[in-house]
Amino acid sequence: VHCVEVAAAHWGYSRVYLHVDPDNNAAFDLYKSAKYRDVGKRWNPFWAGNVANIGYYFKKLDPKREAITQGSDTTMRQME
């Protein structure tokens, strides 16, 4: 998750949005611990089959925290 946030900030984005199935406890706990917030709406796309009430979460990136520092610069080089 951190690598995605670093990349998003590097590319000039100020937020990261994601979808998660509320029954996927491991993913839900990961995003919650990473300070993603529930948008408060649920998404049930027709193509998702039996998956209902997909959670929609976001996190506003802090440009200072997500700045390309020594450690995250190494991460960006590995991603490129």
Side-chain angles (χ1 to χ4, degrees):
V1 173
H2 179 70
C3 289
V4 171
E5 294 170 4
V6 170
H10 179 75
W11 294 326
Y13 292 96
S14 61
R15 291 186 174 97
V16 173
Y17 291 85
L18 57 87
H19 297 103
V20 62
D21 182 341
D23 293 334
N24 186 343
N25 292 326
F28 182 76
D29 290 345
L30 172 67
Y31 301 142
K32 187 176 173 184
S33 71
K35 307 294 186 209
Y36 280 81
R37 295 183 1 192
D38 190 338
V39 172
K41 296 181 180 181
R42 294 293 172 260
W43 185 47
N44 190 8
F46 71 92
W47 48 262
N50 293 330
V51 178
N53 296 324
I54 294 174
Y56 192 41
Y57 295 81
F58 83 100
K59 179 177 182 179
K60 186 174 181 182
L61 301 176
D62 179 353
K64 293 176 186 169
R65 188 180 78 79
E66 304 302 338
I68 305 304
T69 61
Q70 174 108 8
S72 57
D73 188 38
T74 301
T75 303
M76 285 303 300
R77 281 192 304 245
Q78 290 171 350
M79 292 174 59
E80 294 173 347

